[in-house]
Structure formats: structure tokens, C-alpha cells
Amino acid sequence: MIRLLKLMVVLCLTGISTTTYATSVGKMWTAESPDKKTQIEVSTQNHSMLTWRIEHNGVSVLEESRINILVDGIFDVFTKGGLGKVTNRQQVRTKFATPFYKKAEVKDEYNAMTISFKNGISIEFRVYDDGAAYRFLLDRKIMTEVTSETAEFMFAEDYPAFIPYVNDNRGGERYCYSFESYYDEQPLSKMFSDSLAITPLAVCLPNGLKAIVMDAGVEDYPGMFLKRNGKRGLTAEFAPYPLEQEIGGFDRLNLVPTKRANYIARLDGRRALPWRAVVITEKDADILNCDMAQRLAPACRISDTSWIKPGKVAWDWWNNTNVSGVDFKSGMNTDTYLYYIDFAAKNKIEYIIIDEGWSGQESLTEDLSPVIDLPRLIARGQEKGVGIILWSSWRNLIGSNPLNDISVTDAVMKHYADMGIKGFKVDFFDRDDQQVIASAYKIAASAAKYHLYLDYHGLKPFGIQRAYPNIFNFEGVKGLENSKWESRAGDGPLHDQPHYDVTAPYLRMLAGPMDYTPGAMTNAMKNNFFGNNDHPMSQGTRVHQMAMYTTFEAPLQMMADSPTKYMLIAQVPTTFDETVALDGRMGEYTVIARRKGTTWFVAAMTDWTPRDLTIHLSFLGEGRHHADIFADGVNALKDATDYKHTQQTVIPSDRLNIHLSSGGGWTAIPSSNKCSAHIGPFRTRIFMSEIPGKPSPGG
């Protein structure tokens, strides 16, 4: 249990039983979660540091871990801030609406305390039932340079961890990276000492307990990297502020810093800094329904969100604009995109994307492709009810100026909004220093002004998606695109994609939506998979891909494969009213149910290990429900495209015994009324895709 000192003063404000202990050598403050299972202890007992520690049900989650900030190269919390005092305690029990999320509203319930020090620096701590977090609050009258920040996460033992390392740096620059990482599973002591990791990062404690380290609510401040700290801990590292940069990196699409400052951020002296959080879970499945990132994010800044319409999007790049059975040459041309628009309209898909190649290398308004007639495509889209989203590099959208001037971005946004374009997929940010984070907010505000949507690539979500819900997606994920260039090693692919597919929902998706771009219709087992840029395939079964549409969060969900391969298409919503995490183990399998209106969508996915699972249907409403079910076929081990479609009536007391093939999946839609071909606002049915020429498996 949290240590008790002999001399103590009990302070109870706003109904919180929170205690301050004072001695001749310092102070210690404690606070606990609403359910009283999680306790934090903040201490200045050691004159060399300010620390915090966390316990959950008597088990050490964090040992003493240092907290500090150095501003203007002079003032830090401990040596210049005095011993500190509690200036505020709160008991918060509230909720807020989340119309573009996996549920309609989020409960925000926590106990909090703020400890204030001299020099205008305070620290706010929050304790939730599923974790704890803190952030610095600055109240200084002058512009402030944050020279450094100390954030440690020390553990009791050398525990195993899921570590997403930084690799493939752009232009060799340490902090210039796409935020796409597989997970190395290794003890903390075996972390590569010269490498950075991104967040969220999971540490596996005894008896199934998990501690997941992340940052949240990042604004006008760099994101948090992690590196090894001794044999049983982590410490934060932040990208210094960029002073000079040049065009470079991948295909000269990046702005790569060539000189950085001796500080990490320059700020208005009165503001809140980002949160440092530890999510705590007793069951892995609970991570699939954790709202920590939403709770700690800034509130929505768009007063009228009625124009924001999530949906699906037909995508050209992954399938290399391959369409067949047509009388025109497919590619980056007008005829191909007219075909995409007609396909989207026929299958009730809201958008198409025109990816890289429509614009000039250095401009979004000059040197446009002469074989893409944008006005004609926009007119066809408006006629058919299909919106068009355009690809852009970050540096082209900002005019290679990431500082305060937003005029270039604003001019581009207005120009294309006036034409009828619906939004931009902004690619190759590939940094999250203060400059880029600030730019991401400015772009989002400009887009919102002109009612445009955004899909950010080369970034992971960091809280901005709640402030600006016109940002539908973030990449920062090892998604389906990696299968295009995946090499073989031994008897199979170099990377284990199905294993990643059932790891990312627990970690990467904890931070926010992810643009995995699912929907491969050419599917393969280990022995017959190979990378192919022009005719790509996926690892695992077809129903594994299908289950992603319920499992993966993305308000703008891609249909990655060629329209020619979709005879019918999965009509699964991209935002939901309720989510229930049914079962799962990180890195092994997921089982999740989501509700939109009166209809439930249920999905399960596994790694290469076949599994037999039982799904309890108690989440259903009363009465009888008609279920459309898609499962791996009996021959999926030989032919990964094999699936079986069945229908049955179910009730809430039923338990469904399901089988997942190797690399497999399962998905169903139980609804209260018998399904029909009509697709209304709350009545949807899932349609499996078929490759032409393959016999339908019935149903």
C-alpha cells in the first residue's frame, strides 16, 4: 500500500479524501480513483527530485518516477519552486457528447488535485478508475522557453513490454519519422539504448495487469518519445524546436530539420501543457473501449458540426487504379475516376480519393495533371452524391512555411472548397515537434472554416481530433499499404501482419482513429503470400479483412481494393453510438461489438493461431434478432478467400460458438428486424465482397 508517514495533515475538500503528509524533509500528497482501486502518491521527500508513483489494488504500477520542467534555462519545479502546496481539489463526475466516435458520449469521472509551486508553475493530477495522468500548468507573465521536461515511468521489475520503435527516419534526422511501427515484444532491460519509441507503449505487469504509457491533449508542444531508463524504466524525450529545415526525405516530400534549438518549445507563459498518462487495465479487452485519449483532449472548437459527414471512401492508390472489364485505359485519368464515382454511388459509398499525382510536385494550384479534369469529376460527384477528397503533401499545403503564416493554406482551402472538393488527405508530416503540432491545428481550423474534411498521414492522433472533428483519420499505423512491398523471409512474409492486426487495436488505436485502409479481396496464407505493388494481397483470410470494418476505428473508412473486385460491399457504419469490448488478448485476438441506432455489428479477429471462441449476446436488446453471419470457410487454410455466409435468429441469452481460422476473422450483424436489401439510416446489412468468377458460397 501507499506508504504512510507518522506526521500527517488530512485535507478533505470537495468531497475527496485526499491526504497531505508533511515532514522536515518534504511533503507527500495522495489521491485515489473514484472506485478507490487506484492511488497516486506525489512526493518531494527526496530533495533532489519531485516524484509520483501509482498503485492499483495494492500492486505497484509505477515506482517513484521523476517529474520536472526547466523553463528559460533557469527555473525548474523542485530547486526553484519550493516544496509546493495543494491549491485545488476536485471531484468530477460528468460526460460529454462524441458524435464522431465509437460511442455517442463519454463519461469523464475522476478525482483531481493541483499542486502549485513558485515561479508560476503548477501540476494537475487526475486519477481515473482506469489510469492516472498529470500535466504542467504555466502561469507566467512573459513568453517562456521550455528548455527540457523530465517524465519518467519506472517499474518495480524488468517487465515484458510491447515497444513501437522509431525507424526509417526521414533524411537521417532523429525526430523525423512517419509514426508507423511494428511492436517488438521484449523486456524493458532489452530495449535498444540508442533508439526512441513512440506511444502508446504497453508494459505487462503480473497477473494480466497492463500499464500503457501515452501522452494526450498535445497542442503547441512536441509529442512525447520514450527511451530506456536503466533496466526497468522509461524516460521521455522531446524533439527540440526546429530553427532551419530543407526539402528532402522520401521523394523530397518532407521538410527535414537541419538545425534545432536548445529548447523544445516557446510558449505564451499562461497555458496548460500536454498530459502524461498511464492507462491501467486488469483485462486486455477493456483497452478496446478505453476513452482516456478523448477525456484528456481539448473540447470541440467547431460550434456547428452539422456539416461533418463521416463515411466510406473508395481509394485508388493501394490497388494501383486497377479496374478491368472497361473500354478505357485505367490510371490517373478522368475516365478512371468517373468509374470510381459511379461505383461509389452504386454502392452507397460517400467519397472517393484522388491520391498523389493529380497536382504538381511543388504546388496544389499549378502544374496540375492535364489528364484529370477536376471540374468534370466534381460535377459528376455532385450529380451522384459522391464527394471528392484530394491528396496533398504537408509542405505543399503550407507552402513550405510551417510558422505562423497560414495564408497559403487558407488560399488553397478556399479555392478547392469553392470548386466543390470535400477535403484533403494531408501526407508526409513525419514530425511532431512544436512547429508541426501547431501547424496541424492551423490547418484544421482553416479547413473547418471552409467545411473541409482532413485525413492526416505521417502523424499519430494526439487529441486534436476532439477539438477539430473534421479531422476524420490519422495514419501512423502499419496498415494494409505495407503488404504491397512486404518481402518473404524463410517460409513466409518478413512481418507477421495478422499478429499486428490484433495488437494495434489495443495500443495504436488507444490514441485515436487509424487509417489502416482495409478491404483487400486477394487474400493469402503464409505459404502463398508475396508482395506485389500492382496486384497487392493481404495476409490472412477474407473475413479477417471484413472484420476490420467493425474493429478498426476510422470515421472515414477506406475501401482499399479495386472497384472491379467488389460486386457487393460491406455497409458498416464508420461511427457508432455504443461499443462493448467482449473479449481479447493483446497480440492474440479481439472480439468487439458496436451499435449504430438499433443495429449491432460484431467482429472477431485472430493472429495466425486458429481459435474457438464463445460470444455472449447479452448486449442485445430484448426480443428476437436476425443475424447475418460471415465466417472463415472450411477450406480457408488452403484458400484464404474461402468464407461462409449464414443467417440465424438469436436472442440475448444465446451464446455463439465461433471458429476463427489461422489469420482469420468472423463478423455478424444481429438486428431486431429481419434484414432486407434496403439500407436505411439505422437498417444496414453486411454484404460480402466477391471476386468475379468465384462461385458464391451461398447465403
Side-chain angles (χ1 to χ4, degrees):
M1 296 295 292
I2 295 285
R3 297 187 305 275
L4 300 180
L5 298 181
K6 293 181 180 180
L7 180 61
M8 58 186 177
V9 177
V10 179
L11 300 178
C12 299
L13 298 179
T14 63
I16 305 175
S17 180
T18 307
T19 307
T20 301
Y21 306 105
T23 73
S24 60
V25 295
K27 290 184 179 180
M28 182 166 64
W29 303 268
T30 67
E32 63 185 10
S33 59
D35 66 3
K36 302 186 184 304
K37 288 185 177 181
T38 301
Q39 300 87 31
I40 68 168
E41 172 189 281
V42 183
S43 175
T44 58
Q45 290 297 301
N46 186 329
H47 272 296
S48 65
M49 67 185 77
L50 171 73
T51 64
W52 77 319
R53 61 190 304 269
I54 308 174
E55 285 188 0
H56 179 81
N57 274 345
V59 175
S60 172
V61 176
L62 277 192
E63 294 289 282
E64 286 190 333
S65 301
R66 291 184 298 167
I67 298 172
N68 207 350
I69 191 168
L70 180 64
V71 296
D72 297 330
I74 301 172
F75 300 107
D76 69 275
V77 169
F78 192 86
T79 61
K80 301 289 185 180
L83 293 180
K85 61 180 179 179
V86 173
T87 54
N88 186 39
R89 291 194 178 91
Q90 289 181 293
Q91 185 182 57
V92 176
R93 307 290 184 267
T94 188
K95 58 187 177 182
F96 54 87
T98 51
F100 309 107
Y101 187 48
K102 61 188 176 187
K103 57 188 67 171
E105 64 180 24
V106 165
K107 290 183 179 179
D108 196 16
E109 300 182 350
Y110 59 89
N111 293 335
M113 66 178 176
T114 300
I115 302 174
S116 296
F117 299 85
K118 296 178 181 179
N119 307 314
I121 300 174
S122 301
I123 310 176
E124 178 186 357
F125 293 87
R126 292 184 184 177
V127 193
Y128 292 87
D129 289 348
D130 58 356
Y134 73 85
R135 64 177 175 178
F136 286 102
L137 305 172
L138 302 183
D139 186 14
R140 295 168 59 79
K141 297 179 180 180
I142 59 174
M143 289 295 293
T144 297
E145 288 182 358
V146 179
T147 308
S148 64
E149 180 187 340
T150 300
E152 282 188 342
F153 306 90
M154 303 301 297
F155 298 91
E157 303 290 343
D158 179 19
Y159 293 127
F162 286 75
I163 304 167
Y165 283 111
V166 169
N167 51 55
D168 191 26
N169 297 83
R170 305 303 191 193
E173 210 272 340
R174 180 171 174 82
Y175 307 102
C176 199
Y177 178 56
S178 67
F179 304 92
E180 300 175 21
S181 303
Y182 291 109
Y183 294 94
D184 284 39
E185 297 171 38
Q186 58 189 168
L188 291 167
S189 65
K190 300 298 183 183
M191 284 185 68
F192 306 124
S193 59
D194 61 347
S195 297
L196 296 175
I198 60 175
T199 63
L201 183 156
V203 178
C204 305
L205 307 180
N207 301 318
L209 200 67
K210 297 285 193 304
I212 304 176
V213 178
M214 62 185 293
D215 55 349
V218 183
E219 182 174 5
D220 201 24
Y221 199 85
M224 182 174 72
F225 293 98
L226 295 170
K227 59 184 179 182
R228 195 180 85 185
N229 188 359
K231 294 185 177 181
R232 54 181 181 85
L234 304 163
T235 191
E237 185 170 326
F238 303 91
Y241 190 86
L243 297 174
E244 297 176 7
Q245 48 207 319
E246 64 183 13
I247 296 172
F250 179 77
D251 202 23
R252 289 178 50 81
L253 289 167
N254 296 110
L255 280 176
V256 180
T258 56
K259 182 179 180 181
R260 291 187 180 269
N262 60 357
Y263 54 88
I264 62 175
R266 193 165 190 269
L267 304 165
D268 183 307
R270 293 178 174 173
R271 59 170 303 119
L273 301 192
W275 292 96
R276 315 295 169 220
V278 179
V279 171
I280 304 165
T281 60
E282 298 176 3
K283 297 188 303 180
D284 285 6
D286 291 341
I287 306 169
L288 299 173
N289 202 19
C290 178
D291 300 313
M292 189 66 78
Q294 279 281 322
R295 299 182 201 126
L296 299 179
C300 182
R301 295 174 183 174
I302 302 176
S303 57
D304 176 16
T305 60
S306 61
W307 57 274
I308 300 176
K309 306 293 183 185
K312 284 200 173 59
V313 55
W315 184 37
D316 57 348
W317 180 87
W318 190 79
N319 60 74
N320 203 25
T321 60
N322 279 323
V323 295
S324 57
V326 296
D327 58 1
F328 59 85
K329 187 175 181 179
S330 66
M332 296 285 296
N333 57 51
T334 300
D335 285 338
T336 298
Y337 290 111
L338 289 172
Y339 182 94
Y340 270 82
I341 290 169
D342 291 345
F343 159 75
K346 180 180 178 181
N347 289 279
K348 301 185 185 298
I349 298 171
E350 293 85 349
Y351 305 101
I352 72 162
I353 279 182
I354 302 179
D355 215 288
E356 181 182 8
W358 68 273
S359 66
Q361 181 72 17
E362 301 296 328
S363 173
L364 297 178
T365 55
E366 299 176 0
D367 301 321
L368 305 187
S369 172
V371 295
I372 296 178
D373 187 342
L374 269 182
R376 183 182 175 192
L377 293 174
I378 293 168
R380 176 69 71 90
Q382 291 172 339
E383 174 192 347
K384 298 280 188 175
V386 176
I388 297 175
I389 296 171
L390 300 175
W391 180 93
S392 167
S393 68
W394 170 59
R395 75 171 180 86
N396 273 357
L397 186 58
I398 63 172
S400 298
N401 178 11
L403 299 176
N404 294 325
D405 184 8
I406 196 66
S407 60
V408 172
T409 303
D410 218 49
V412 170
M413 294 289 187
K414 184 179 188 308
H415 173 74
Y416 284 105
D418 289 345
M419 285 184 66
I421 290 298
K422 294 298 183 181
F424 284 92
K425 172 183 171 181
V426 187
D427 208 345
F428 292 94
F429 281 90
D430 293 350
R431 290 160 42 194
D432 71 345
D433 49 48
Q434 183 191 17
Q435 209 173 75
V436 173
I437 295 295
S439 176
Y441 274 87
K442 289 184 174 71
I443 291 170
S446 176
K449 180 166 63 173
Y450 298 108
H451 288 192
L452 294 174
Y453 310 134
L454 296 169
D455 177 3
Y456 280 171
H457 278 216
L459 275 178
K460 61 182 177 67
F462 46 87
I464 189 177
Q465 65 272 20
R466 183 181 165 201
Y468 290 100
N470 59 317
I471 306 175
F472 283 148
N473 287 358
F474 293 77
E475 195 183 30
V477 63
K478 281 291 186 183
L480 190 64
E481 67 171 356
N482 291 271
S483 65
K484 287 169 69 75
W485 49 75
E486 179 70 17
S487 59
R488 291 184 64 83
D491 61 353
L494 176 63
H495 295 103
D496 186 341
Q497 196 68 29
H499 178 70
Y500 179 81
D501 295 342
V502 292
T503 305
Y506 297 95
L507 294 178
R508 163 58 186 81
M509 203 164 72
L510 178 63
M514 58 184 196
D515 199 6
Y516 183 99
T517 68
M521 291 295 105
T522 301
N523 319 103
M525 291 288 109
K526 287 182 182 180
N527 61 338
N528 54 13
F529 173 90
F530 60 93
N532 186 326
N533 184 74
D534 292 338
H535 298 281
M537 63 183 71
S538 69
Q539 297 181 41
T541 70
R542 181 171 293 181
V543 186
H544 183 89
Q545 287 287 309
M546 189 175 184
M548 292 177 178
Y549 284 91
T550 294
T551 305
F552 292 165
E553 297 169 26
L556 185 72
Q557 187 63 276
M558 302 284 172
M559 307 301 302
D561 221 323
S562 167
T564 305
K565 294 184 178 180
Y566 290 108
M567 293 177 65
L568 296 169
I569 198 149
Q571 296 289 342
V572 182
T574 61
T575 59
F576 297 88
D577 299 321
E578 183 180 357
T579 290
V580 179
L582 298 173
D583 194 7
R585 291 183 182 175
M586 189 182 298
E588 297 182 21
Y589 67 98
T590 62
V591 188
I592 199 162
R594 304 191 195 273
R595 178 180 59 81
K596 185 73 170 182
T598 60
T599 303
W600 282 93
F601 301 81
V602 190
M605 297 166 57
T606 184
D607 57 6
W608 286 119
T609 303
R611 298 184 192 278
D612 293 297
L613 302 172
T614 299
I615 296 180
H616 299 244
L617 300 182
S618 57
F619 56 86
L620 294 176
E622 294 182 1
R624 299 167 67 83
H625 301 258
H626 178 83
D628 258 327
I629 299 173
F630 291 87
D632 296 321
V634 67
N635 292 309
L637 280 173
K638 295 167 60 178
D639 178 0
T641 67
D642 187 36
Y643 66 91
K644 184 178 182 180
H645 175 203
T646 60
Q647 298 176 341
Q648 70 181 85
T649 300
V650 296
I651 58 177
S653 60
D654 281 346
R655 300 182 179 187
L656 296 182
N657 297 317
I658 69 171
H659 176 74
L660 305 179
S661 183
S662 174
W666 181 94
T667 189
I669 302 183
S671 61
S672 56
N673 298 305
K674 188 172 178 62
C675 288
S676 67
H678 173 68
I679 299 175
F682 298 120
R683 291 288 311 114
T684 60
R685 174 181 175 179
I686 201 158
F687 295 106
M688 193 56 215
S689 308
E690 299 176 9
I691 295 178
K694 179 177 177 177
S696 171

